[in-house]
Amino acid sequence: MAERPKRRRVVESDPSAPATAGDRIRWKGFCEIESDPAFFNVMLRDFGVKDVRVQEVVSLDPEMLGFLHRPIYGLIFLFRWREEDVDKQEPSCPEGIWFANQTVNNACASVALLNIVNNVPDLDLGDHLEQFKHFTADFTPALRGDAIGNFEFVKTIHNSFARKMDMLNADLQLKNDASSRKKTKAKSSDEDDAGFHFIAFVPIQGKVWKLDGLERQPQSLGPIEGDDWVRQVAPEIESRMAQYEEGQIEFAIMSLVREPLADLVTALAENVMSINVLTQRLGQVKPDWEDFLSEHTGDSKAAGDETIVGPCEHYQLYAGTIDQAEPSPVLQTRLKSNRVTELLTAREELVAAQAGLRASIRDETKAFRTDNERAASRRNDKGLLAKGLLQVLERMDKIKSLLKSGAHTEDSTQLPLQMVGAFLSIFRALHPDYHAPAELQFRLRLLQFSSLFKSRRCLLSATPSLTRVNGKHPTSTELPVGQPDQVHLRDTLPLFLALSAAQNLLQESTITELWMRLAAGYMAHVYAEQVLLLHETRSGLLEDTFHWSFDPSRAIEEGSDEWMINEMFDANDNILNLWEDIKNEHMRALRPPAGTSLTAHLEAIVSGGLSTSSFKEKVSEFLSGLLSAHPAPLLTQLESGKIDGLSPRSTAALKRRAGFV
C-alpha cells in the first residue's frame, strides 16, 4: 500500500508575513469567509455566474423585504450550527434538486452559493460551473461535496480571500479536532463549540427547500404559497434567531437576487424610446410645443438637458436595446390624445421617471465598484501592518487622555480633526486600495473645512504657518496638524474649493453664480488678509490668489482634490466666462486707484463692503445649506431611532439588528 502523502502546510517561519499566491495554491484547506455581500458578489463574478447579486437582508419585516430586488433566487443564512431532527430530512435527494454536502471544513460559503445557483432555471453559470453541474448531476450529495473540495477552480477563488493567519488557524483547528476525536468518542454538544455556518433556502419545483450542507439530505418546508416564498422561510429563520439572547448578533441573512442593473437598463431603454415617441407626437399636434412650454410654465427643453434621448455608454444603454423597447399600453393610450397639455404632462412624468432610473443605475454601478474595492482590500494580507498600527493606537490614547482631562477646551474644534486623522491613519493602513465613496469624501471635507474655518485666528506675522498650500499649485488637502492660531484664511481656501467640488460631484450639479460670487469674495478676503495682516507685497500676489479656474493643460491625478476643483470649473463656456467676469470684477475692486496706497485702499474696503462679519455670515450660510441638502448619516439616524423612509417598526428592527440597545 502506497504511503499516504503528507499534507503540505504553509511555512510558519513568520506568521505575520503575507500569504503568497503560491501559499494559497499549495494549501489544501478552505478559509473562513465573512458574511459580507461584497465578497459573495465578487466570488460569483469570478465563478462566471451572470446577472445575479447578493444583497444583505437587514430584517425579515415585510416592509424591509420589500426593498429587495425581485426575483429572489435564494436566501443565505449564517448562524451557529447544530443538527436538527434527521426525520425532517428527505430519505434521499429528490430528483431535480442539486444538493451538495459540505465535506471540507470552512467550505460552507462556496457550498451554499453552489446549492443556490445550481437550482436556478436558465441561469448562466459560466463554462466552469456549467460543466461541473453536468459532471456531478448523478452524484450523491456526499460525492458532490467531495467534488467541490477537489475542484481547484472553486477552491482557488474561495481561497483568494485567505490570509496567512487564516491558514494557520484553520490548520490548528483541524489538528485540535483530530486530537479531540482521539480522546473522546462523543463530540460535546456544548453550544459554545458550535461553529458559524452558511445554509441556503431555495424555491425549487413549487416547494421551498432548506439546503444545509452539514445535513445529509435537503429538507422541504412545504409547497410555495402565494407569490412570496420568502415569507414562508421567515418563521424558520426567526426560530433560530430567537435562540440567541437579546443583544447577541450571531447571525446574518443575505439574499441572492436577479442583478438589478439589467432590469434598470431595460427600463431606461423603454423610457428613452417613450420620450422620443411622445416628442414626435407633440411635434405633430403642436410643432412649436417647446415655445409653448416656455411661455406657459417658464420651463424649456434646455432645463432637461440631462435627459437622455439616445444611446449613452455611461448608463450602458445601446441602440439595440432602445430599438427592442416598446411603449407601455398606458403610453399608447395617451399618445392618442390631441391635447398638448396632456402630452406635455406625460412627457414631464417620463423625464422625472428617467431621472430616478439614472440615479438607480449610478447607485448600482457604484455598488459594483465598491464590491470590488472591498474584496480587493480583504484579499490584501495585512499581517505586517498590525505592528505599525500600535503607534497610531498610542496616538489615539493620547487624544482620549486630553478629552478626559478637560485640557482640550481651548482646542475643542481641533479634536474632531485629530480623532478623524488618527482613525484615517488606521483605516488607510488596513485598506490601502480603498477609495472612499463620494458622500464620505464630501463629509470628510466638510469636517475639515468647518473645523479649520471656525478655529482660524489671524497672526500679525509675516511668516506663513502652513507651507503646504503656497503659490498656484497646492499639493495636498490632507488634514493639517498644528494649533488653531497657525491657520490662515489662505490655508482654508483650497479646502473650501475642494468641499464645493465634492458637493458638485455628489449632486452631479454645476457651480452657480451665487457660489461664484461667494468664492470670489473668499479670495478677496484671502488677499486682504495677506496684505494687511501678513504684510505680503510680492508682485503677482493678487493674480495668484485668484488663479483658480479650469486649466486643460494641467496633468493632475484623477480623483485628487486638484482634479476635482479643475473639473468643477470645466462646465461649459457660459459658466467659465461668467466665472472669469466675476473674478475680474473683484480683482478690479481690489486694485487701488492712482494716488492711493494699497494698504489704505484695502483698509477702506474691509471697513465697508468687504467686512469680516458679513463674510463669516455668508460662509456660515453656505455650510448650513450644505448640511440641509443632505440627510444625516445613517448611523446618526439609527442612534436617534428615526430613519428617513422607514416606519418606526422597521427602524426598531434595524436598530436591534445593528446591535443598538
Side-chain angles (χ1 to χ4, degrees):
M1 185 174 181
E3 182 180 356
R4 183 177 180 179
K6 295 182 179 180
R7 179 173 177 172
R8 299 183 67 176
R9 297 181 179 274
V10 177
V11 178
E12 301 183 22
S13 56
D14 185 1
S16 66
T20 65
D23 291 336
R24 296 187 177 104
I25 292 174
R26 289 190 297 271
W27 189 51
K28 300 304 180 183
F30 278 68
C31 70
E32 288 186 340
I33 295 180
E34 300 91 326
S35 58
D36 189 324
F39 304 160
F40 283 71
N41 282 322
V42 171
M43 286 175 64
L44 286 168
R45 288 200 287 267
D46 290 348
F47 286 159
V49 182
K50 303 292 193 302
D51 298 328
V52 295
R53 180 165 184 77
V54 176
Q55 298 177 326
E56 184 174 13
V57 180
V58 298
S59 171
L60 293 173
D61 184 88
E63 183 180 359
M64 296 296 292
L65 292 175
F67 287 101
L68 298 177
H69 191 70
R70 262 56 176 183
I72 301 176
Y73 297 138
L75 294 181
I76 302 171
F77 182 43
L78 173 70
F79 67 107
R80 282 192 179 273
W81 185 87
R82 61 187 179 197
E83 187 173 17
E84 292 186 329
D85 189 349
V86 295
D87 292 338
K88 295 181 180 180
Q89 302 170 25
E90 298 294 311
S92 61
C93 186
E95 185 176 352
I97 295 180
W98 195 98
F99 171 66
N101 292 139
Q102 179 189 334
T103 60
V104 181
N105 283 355
N106 300 327
C108 55
S110 289
V111 171
L113 286 175
L114 294 177
N115 278 339
I116 295 177
V117 298
N118 283 329
N119 286 294
V120 180
D122 303 321
L123 184 63
D124 187 349
L125 299 174
D127 293 340
H128 289 89
L129 290 193
E130 193 65 55
Q131 293 173 12
F132 180 76
K133 179 181 177 181
H134 178 74
F135 174 71
T136 59
D138 297 326
F139 284 17
T140 64
L143 286 177
R144 286 178 184 148
D146 288 339
I148 292 174
N150 292 302
F151 192 10
E152 288 299 323
F153 173 73
V154 167
K155 188 168 79 71
T156 299
I157 293 171
H158 184 113
N159 282 342
S160 64
F161 292 94
R163 298 166 294 199
K164 175 68 73 66
M165 196 57 66
D166 297 330
M167 301 178 187
L168 296 176
N169 286 337
D171 286 342
L172 179 61
Q173 182 64 43
L174 186 65
K175 180 179 179 180
N176 292 340
D177 289 346
S179 300
S180 178
R181 281 193 292 269
K182 290 180 180 179
K183 296 179 180 178
T184 177
K185 294 181 180 180
K187 186 176 180 180
S188 170
S189 61
D190 190 339
E191 194 174 87
D192 291 338
D193 293 335
F196 287 101
H197 176 59
F198 291 106
I199 65 174
F201 295 92
V202 192
I204 309 172
Q205 300 176 346
K207 293 184 178 181
V208 182
W209 294 87
K210 184 179 78 169
L211 305 181
D212 182 347
L214 292 182
E215 294 182 349
R216 288 183 285 277
Q217 301 296 342
Q219 178 184 333
S220 172
L221 301 184
I224 297 177
E225 301 172 0
D227 58 356
D228 191 357
W229 66 270
V230 176
R231 294 190 180 185
Q232 291 177 242
V233 176
E236 174 76 17
I237 295 178
E238 288 172 341
S239 66
R240 293 276 191 177
M241 295 164 58
Q243 298 173 11
Y244 301 105
E245 296 180 5
E246 186 175 356
Q248 284 186 312
I249 306 298
E250 295 192 318
F251 51 83
I253 313 170
M254 295 177 288
S255 63
L256 194 148
V257 303
R258 174 180 166 83
E259 171 59 67
L261 187 59
D263 292 337
L264 289 170
V265 172
T266 299
L268 181 61
E270 180 182 326
N271 177 279
V272 169
M273 184 277 307
S274 299
I275 289 177
N276 290 336
V277 171
L278 196 55
T279 301
Q280 292 175 6
R281 178 60 178 157
L282 275 167
Q284 295 170 356
V285 175
K286 191 173 183 61
D288 61 343
W289 67 270
E290 295 180 40
D291 296 333
F292 176 85
L293 177 65
S294 179
E295 291 174 4
H296 289 76
T297 66
D299 197 0
S300 67
K301 188 177 179 180
D305 282 345
E306 295 182 359
T307 302
I308 297 172
V309 294
C312 181
E313 187 173 353
H314 179 70
Y315 290 100
Q316 303 179 33
L317 182 64
Y318 302 102
T321 310
I322 298 176
D323 293 341
Q324 294 174 4
E326 295 182 359
S328 66
V330 174
L331 180 61
Q332 292 180 19
T333 301
R334 301 180 79 172
L335 286 171
K336 297 176 182 179
S337 174
N338 290 320
R339 299 183 60 181
V340 65
T341 53
E342 291 183 2
L343 295 173
L344 286 174
T345 298
R347 185 181 184 278
E348 182 181 350
E349 292 172 358
L350 288 171
V351 169
Q354 187 187 112
L357 288 171
R358 295 199 314 270
S360 297
I361 291 175
R362 289 194 299 270
D363 289 343
E364 290 300 323
T365 303
K366 182 170 68 173
F368 182 92
R369 293 195 302 267
T370 301
D371 286 348
N372 288 338
E373 291 168 355
R374 289 181 62 83
S377 176
R378 176 60 173 80
R379 285 167 165 168
N380 182 18
D381 195 339
K382 311 170 190 69
L384 289 175
L385 289 174
K387 300 176 181 178
L389 289 177
L390 293 176
Q391 296 179 349
V392 180
L393 292 175
E394 289 178 2
R395 179 184 170 192
M396 289 288 288
D397 288 338
K398 292 179 180 178
I399 295 173
K400 291 178 181 177
S401 298
L402 281 174
L403 289 170
K404 291 180 179 179
S405 65
H408 65 286
T409 51
E410 294 183 0
D411 300 334
S412 59
T413 55
Q414 289 295 297
L415 282 173
L417 285 177
Q418 295 179 23
M419 293 290 286
V420 171
F423 168 77
L424 289 178
S425 297
I426 297 175
F427 189 85
R428 286 167 179 161
L430 290 172
H431 308 283
D433 299 323
Y434 175 77
H435 298 286
E439 182 176 359
L440 180 57
Q441 293 186 39
F442 164 76
R443 293 191 182 278
L444 284 173
R445 287 170 177 82
L446 180 60
L447 172 63
Q448 293 174 21
F449 175 75
S450 57
S451 297
L452 287 176
F453 187 82
K454 183 178 180 181
S455 64
R456 188 185 65 85
R457 297 173 189 168
C458 298
L459 285 181
L460 297 177
S461 168
T463 304
S465 58
L466 298 178
T467 58
R468 60 175 181 79
V469 184
N470 191 17
K472 291 187 177 182
H473 305 293
T475 57
S476 171
T477 53
E478 294 292 325
L479 289 171
V481 293
Q483 300 302 318
D485 59 0
Q486 293 179 317
V487 182
H488 298 291
L489 193 57
R490 71 174 181 184
D491 301 318
T492 67
L493 177 58
L495 287 173
F496 168 77
L497 295 171
L499 171 61
S500 303
Q503 160 74 357
N504 286 348
L505 182 64
L506 182 61
Q507 298 290 331
E508 296 190 336
S509 58
T510 56
I511 53 178
T512 64
E513 181 178 353
L514 182 64
W515 179 88
M516 294 182 204
R517 295 197 175 278
L518 174 62
Y522 202 120
M523 295 173 189
H525 277 274
V526 169
Y527 178 69
E529 180 183 90
Q530 288 179 281
V531 174
L532 297 178
L533 297 179
L534 301 180
H535 310 299
E536 293 195 30
T537 58
R538 62 182 175 85
S539 175
L541 178 61
L542 179 62
E543 290 74 15
D544 287 351
T545 304
F546 281 83
H547 83 277
W548 303 92
S549 187
F550 175 63
D551 185 356
S553 64
R554 293 183 63 189
I556 315 173
E557 180 184 356
E558 184 172 348
S560 66
D561 283 355
E562 289 183 83
W563 177 83
M564 284 199 307
I565 295 171
N566 200 47
E567 290 293 306
M568 176 176 64
F569 290 113
D570 181 22
N572 56 57
D573 290 341
N574 291 335
I575 290 179
L576 192 57
N577 291 336
L578 178 60
W579 170 238
E580 293 299 327
D581 290 342
I582 291 175
K583 284 201 306 179
N584 290 330
E585 173 189 331
H586 281 72
M587 292 171 68
R588 284 194 299 270
L590 292 171
R591 292 190 177 100
T596 305
S597 69
L598 176 60
T599 300
H601 177 65
L602 292 180
E603 287 177 346
I605 292 178
V606 169
S607 62
L610 202 67
S611 69
T612 302
S613 59
S614 175
F615 169 65
K616 288 183 177 180
E617 183 178 343
K618 290 178 181 178
V619 175
S620 296
E621 290 176 355
F622 168 73
L623 294 175
S624 298
L626 292 183
L627 288 173
S628 62
H630 298 274
L634 180 59
L635 186 59
T636 302
Q637 295 185 45
L638 197 60
E639 288 177 331
S640 68
K642 184 177 180 181
I643 297 180
D644 295 342
L646 292 185
S647 66
R649 178 182 176 185
S650 297
T651 300
L654 180 59
K655 197 171 182 178
R656 290 193 301 271
R657 173 74 175 81
F660 284 85
V661 179

